[in-house]
Amino acid sequence: IVPALARVVQVVCHLEVYMATMSFADTARARGLEVCLPEMAPGARLRVESLFNPLLFAMMERPVPTDLGIGTQSAITLVTGPNSGGKTRLLQAVGIAQVLAQSGLHCPCSRARMPVVAGLFASIVELDRADQFEGRLGKELVRLRTLLETVPTRSLVLLDELCSGTNPTEAIEIVDMVLRLLRRLDPVAFVTTHFLGFARDLHARPSTDSLGFLQVEVDAERGATFRVIPGVATTSLAVGTARRLGVTFDEVHTSNNSSMFSPNHAYSEAGYARLEAIVDRVYEEFTERVAEGRELPLEEVLELAKGRIWSGQDAVQNGLADKLGGMDVALDEARTIAELGDGPLALTVYPRKK
């Protein structure tokens, strides 16, 4: 009876999975989203229409669907875009769709042609533990080594914000190395990154046949649409994300111009006028002191000034300096003026050392 019971339990489990996917399909359609049984073929290029992330059902009524495809030669796709723009959710949706499709179940998309992959490797989110020996970067590098040593060719690889746990200069070197090593696995890979300059450099290289580039679409108000389009993002919109989450500067003003030098905004018209007045006053005071010190008419000093820089020789010719020389010449002049003779000089250096 035990073998027979085991087979019954197995059938019941299969039926539970099947009924759960049918319930998922009904829920998606009730929310205005389509599901399908994708076309599967070894070596097929990924093409998905109206892909959505079913994990978002717990957070919103209707996740935003997006079309997704990779080029005929692209084995690895770099995904860039703003913070909270849906890059991680996209990786989750791709992984869920691949597992469901390869299991012969309904997928979270309206239509799809997908490859049959040999395995699935995802490095998306891993919570820190009190007993871990490595930091965030170290744990990620261990996972990457596991990927490169054990994952079979033609696998689906999902890497979220690769090497974001260290300084960008060194991280970019590691990311570049990982991308080159990944090509040897001939994978279907999606890699998200905020290293936009690095992604743009890769996009501009002539030898990027094995790389594809997708970016999260941004609307006219600089907000993410949660859809992906070809290309590389120009900004991560981090400041906008900080503002949306309430991480902002608050200022207390005591007068109209008290915040004119704030780095958080441009000059107002009144502030700019005030700045010009300050610069004009400093310039006026400086030229008056030069005229007084050099015993020159102010009009002549103003004609010599005009924002120009004079060489020492030209300054002597224009009456702005007495003679050329360094410290020794200056000390000789001071000795002569003070009538000190040839005796030793006691020099005091200013400002005094604290």
Side-chain angles (χ1 to χ4, degrees), residues 7-327:
R7 287 194 293 271
V8 170
V9 171
Q10 189 176 30
V11 170
V12 170
C13 291
H14 285 308
L15 287 174
E16 277 193 314
V17 172
Y18 177 74
M19 295 301 294
T21 58
M22 294 300 294
S23 176
F24 157 67
D26 291 340
T27 300
R29 293 186 180 114
R31 301 190 185 196
L33 297 164
E34 290 296 323
V35 297
C36 74
L37 295 174
E39 176 187 353
M40 304 294 295
R45 291 296 170 181
L46 185 67
R47 287 285 184 274
V48 185
E49 297 179 11
S50 299
L51 173 69
F52 64 91
N53 189 333
L55 298 180
L56 295 177
F57 280 169
M59 302 172 58
M60 62 184 67
E61 176 64 22
R62 186 179 185 275
V64 178
T66 186
D67 295 338
L68 181 66
I70 60 176
T72 56
Q73 301 297 325
S74 301
I76 304 169
T77 301
L78 283 183
V79 184
T80 55
N83 293 279
S84 302
K87 298 186 299 298
T88 300
R89 296 299 189 182
L90 174 68
L91 297 192
Q92 292 173 343
V94 171
I96 291 171
Q98 185 68 46
V99 171
L100 291 175
Q102 207 149 322
S103 301
L105 302 173
H106 286 94
C107 284
C109 55
S110 62
R111 184 180 178 183
R113 176 178 171 82
M114 305 178 71
V116 177
V117 297
L120 169 61
F121 182 94
S123 177
I124 297 179
V125 175
E126 183 177 358
L127 299 178
D128 292 336
R129 303 191 313 272
D131 60 345
Q132 68 185 40
F133 292 99
E134 294 287 349
R136 180 179 177 184
L137 177 65
K139 292 197 304 178
E140 184 177 24
L141 292 176
V142 170
R143 293 198 300 272
L144 289 174
R145 188 184 68 185
T146 302
L147 159 66
L148 297 171
E149 291 178 348
T150 64
V151 172
T153 59
R154 297 303 300 167
S155 292
L156 176 62
V157 177
L158 306 173
L159 303 177
D160 190 30
E161 296 191 13
L162 189 58
C163 293
S164 60
T166 188
N167 77 77
T169 302
E170 295 179 75
I172 286 172
E173 293 183 19
I174 299 174
V175 173
D176 191 32
M177 176 186 64
V178 170
L179 293 179
R180 286 186 279 112
L181 292 173
L182 265 181
R183 293 188 182 99
R184 301 180 182 181
L185 299 177
D186 192 23
V188 178
F190 290 86
V191 180
T192 66
T193 182
H194 280 292
F195 301 140
L196 303 186
F198 171 67
R200 284 193 294 270
D201 290 342
L202 289 179
H203 190 257
R205 291 179 188 175
S207 57
T208 56
D209 291 340
S210 61
L211 288 177
F213 299 88
L214 293 175
Q215 60 176 317
V216 175
E217 185 181 53
V218 176
D219 59 23
E221 285 73 36
R222 307 293 285 170
T225 66
F226 303 103
R227 298 184 178 90
V228 292
I229 57 177
V232 177
T234 58
T235 176
S236 291
L237 299 180
V239 175
T241 300
R243 187 180 299 115
R244 176 174 58 82
L245 296 176
V247 183
T248 60
F249 283 94
D250 289 328
E251 298 177 341
V252 177
H253 302 165
T254 58
S255 63
N256 291 335
N257 293 321
S258 60
S259 65
M260 61 179 287
F261 295 113
S262 171
N264 302 321
H265 54 74
Y267 287 109
S268 64
E269 290 187 9
Y272 192 78
R274 179 66 175 167
L275 177 64
E276 285 189 317
I278 293 173
V279 173
D280 289 343
R281 186 173 68 248
V282 171
Y283 183 78
E284 180 180 349
E285 183 178 347
F286 171 72
T287 52
E288 287 177 352
R289 290 188 178 184
V290 170
E292 181 182 353
R294 301 304 302 173
E295 298 181 355
L296 294 172
L298 179 60
E299 294 76 10
E300 184 177 341
V301 172
L302 293 175
E303 185 63 28
L304 290 171
K306 296 182 178 180
R308 290 176 291 190
I309 299 175
W310 297 100
S311 68
Q313 186 174 356
D314 289 337
V316 171
Q317 293 177 355
N318 291 326
L320 299 176
D322 294 321
K323 63 174 61 177
L324 300 180
M327 178 64 75

